[in-house]
Amino acid sequence: MERRGFVARVLRNGTVRAALVLAVFLIAWSVLQLGGLSVFLINSWLLLSLPLVLAASGVTLVIFTGEFDLSAAGVVAVTNVLMATWLSELGWLGLPLAVLVGAVVGLFNGFLVVVMRLPAIAVTLATFIILGGLALVILPTPGGRIDPGIIDFFTGQLVVPRSIIFLMVIALLWLLYRNTRMGVHAYGVGQDAEALRLSGVAVDRVKFGVFALAGTLYGLAGAVLAAVVQTGDATIGSSYLLATFAAVAIGGAAFTGGSGSVLGTMLGALTLTVIPKVLFVLGISGWVQRVFEGMLIIAAVLVGAVATQSEQRKVQAVKTTPKVEAPTVSVSGGERP
Amino acid sequence: MTLTPTESLATISRERLSVWSSPGVARPITLILLAVVALFAGRLFSAGLPSWTAAEAILTQSLFVAVLAFGQGLIMLIGGLDLSIPGVVALSATIVALSTSVYGVETWLAVLLALIASALVGLLDGYLISRFKIPAFIVTLAMGGILIGLTIGFTFGRQAPSAPPILIELFSGSGKIFGIGIPIVVFLIVGALGYVIQARSRFGRSVHLFGSSPAAARIAGMPVRRIEVSVYVVGALASGVGGIMLLGFSGNARLSLGDAWLMPAIAAVLVGGTIIGSGFGFWQSTLMATVLLTTITVVIGATGLSQGWKDVLYGVIILIALSFMRRDGGALKRVFAGLRKTQERPAVQSAP
């Protein structure tokens, strides 16, 4: 067994990597921004991150179980539009209703994937298209009106800007969820669903629950997005398809499931919203930003993949060496979801 | 299961008899019949609908879906999903339009350049996916974003450059050979070529085997890494060709040129019965599914449906296709089997 330095061991942790990436961009931003960073600038950044943090956290929960969910962008689009149209006259009631819409979509996804046994990628791609289309039907051109009470609730001040409080609440909820029965089982499903099934865990129920929970988070994300941008826009959600998975990639969760942390994803989402600000103060035009973001995502996934691959190789070596004489042909490890 | 010679002979002859119900034959026929029915049902929405003009328009548009669905189909056979189609389409169309209209490059050279660029994109995609085991849809999604960014960079926000006249002549539907629109002829050629590549060539068969079991392919000594990468190269090439055709069809290289064609391509593969990551799927079914889907779009389009409802429709079609097109032949086959009351051979295992 080779010995590893402290730095290498720390860098193996995806959340730490994500924190480092975010730190680099934050330092760059604070140095480059004329007049330095103000509470106002930081608050607007955190506020804009909040919906992405919520949506990407939902995606992360699904990825832990080894499945994929592409429907986040669709749910965000629909609930965002609903908040600006049908739900805007209901006041407070609009918020739980929007969240409910998300939960229903999550249940629908869960039903198709768990009960009907259809491939999650294709199913959630279909729900993404359907919801995106519905959002366009409900509100063809950007506009509408968001209830001022809801805007105040998310954007207001409570000693510190509320965005900070909300982010801390999400992190806290994650730490609690991680240790619940469902949270632990969800990790296990991603690592070895068969072993978990044999030990008596209702794997299907866990997956179903995770899809529903993720849908709920997307619904909330759409409502928060409506409050933050203070308008309804059916196309605003489409950027979330790439952004949610980018946040997961930067956050260091393995796309094969079973490892990672929502904290990492939160840091990834914060990084994604700070990048445009850094590029803006650098005077870099929009197309470079797109190229840069794409490359950053690929780089983040690469780093994560290399880290998990070497980890898996280590585990496999430990597992197989005592039994197999010549472990040259590896049968497992070729399948990919 | 081991069979004695006579038993296996009996099995084979039973298989022969049931050729009409085998998915590679029954499904494309069913799909094309459904397309014809849909075209006639269009009468309900528009008085002028079952017409030759409409049929020609449908086959013309099917060409673009078919070209894109060919690449998408191969990628989905091995468990991937290509979301970079809009990016590659925009890139290849912009390369052709920009180099011919602004830099005065010969059209054939411009087309060659666009295809080389597309192949390189596929090579990079395939390398990242096969070497690092990264989910294909994430790599292709990010790559699509990069390509759109680069394309904006190439054009410097200039107005969309226009297509070379020869491409417009070829793919807008105005040009004809023996009274048949050129795109329709190309559609037939693409159909035949796709069949040869996917079902008859060594490459196609190795893709099917790799898709059904990468581990088995590796143990059989196949160059699995090379197969996987070449699937993405062929996929990106198909998108590049699609981009060039769409450039001719629409007349100029807009950034959003490929946006509207991604979902139809995915839907065609799924409606054709290809099961993601199973190595199970037939090109002829995908081809007929492109005709069916385009027919539905045209018929629905006659009602003046908005883009939003069209998206909803495509999503619903994908969900229906996923639920019914299973490896065991799906709902249709079960119905036929019930009618004939025959003893079916042992149930084929459905997708994992």
Side-chain angles (χ1 to χ4, degrees), chain A residues 145-330:
Chain A
R145 176 190 156 277
I146 315 290
D147 183 75
I150 290 181
I151 294 179
D152 277 348
F153 178 71
F154 286 109
T155 61
Q157 194 99 0
L158 195 85
V159 191
V160 289
R162 287 193 184 166
S163 51
I164 296 177
I165 298 175
F166 285 120
L167 286 173
M168 286 167 74
V169 168
I170 298 169
L172 197 68
L173 284 176
W174 156 244
L175 293 176
L176 289 175
Y177 166 86
R178 196 175 58 168
N179 293 316
T180 60
R181 180 183 293 242
M182 186 166 143
V184 173
H185 285 172
Y187 263 123
V189 170
Q191 270 162 4
D192 193 340
E194 201 46 49
L196 213 63
R197 187 176 288 124
L198 290 175
S199 61
V201 174
V203 169
D204 284 354
R205 208 183 299 162
V206 174
K207 277 194 182 176
F208 207 96
V210 167
F211 268 104
L213 185 59
T216 313
L217 284 169
Y218 308 152
L220 187 58
V224 175
L225 185 65
V228 171
V229 300
Q230 307 194 0
T231 181
D233 185 350
T235 58
I236 203 167
S238 63
S239 67
Y240 273 59
L241 178 57
L242 186 53
T244 47
F245 283 97
V248 176
I250 298 170
F255 284 107
T256 42
S259 86
S261 163
V262 168
L263 291 181
T265 299
M266 292 175 70
L267 295 168
L270 288 168
T271 308
L272 281 174
T273 37
V274 84
I275 289 174
K277 296 189 183 296
V278 174
L279 294 178
F280 181 75
V281 290
L282 281 173
I284 289 173
S285 58
W287 70 271
V288 181
Q289 186 184 324
R290 279 184 177 222
V291 175
F292 185 80
E293 278 178 4
M295 287 179 170
L296 183 78
I297 294 161
I298 292 183
V301 188
L302 272 184
V303 172
V306 170
T308 48
Q309 256 183 3
S310 61
E311 195 75 19
Q312 276 167 357
R313 219 171 283 139
K314 222 170 67 189
V315 171
Q316 210 154 40
V318 171
K319 267 186 191 164
T320 50
T321 8
K323 287 174 194 164
V324 185
E325 302 246 350
T328 40
V329 179
S330 152

Side-chain angles (χ1 to χ4, degrees), chain B residues 186-197:
Chain B
V186 180
F187 176 81
L188 296 175
I189 296 172
V190 165
L193 209 62
Y195 180 75
V196 170
I197 295 175

Side-chain angles (χ1 to χ4, degrees), chain B residues 208-235:
Chain B
H208 279 285
L209 175 55
F210 178 77
S212 68
S213 172
R218 192 184 302 124
I219 289 169
M222 298 174 81
V224 280
R225 183 73 59 74
R226 206 192 306 159
I227 295 170
E228 194 172 7
V229 173
S230 49
V231 166
Y232 286 94
V233 172
V234 172

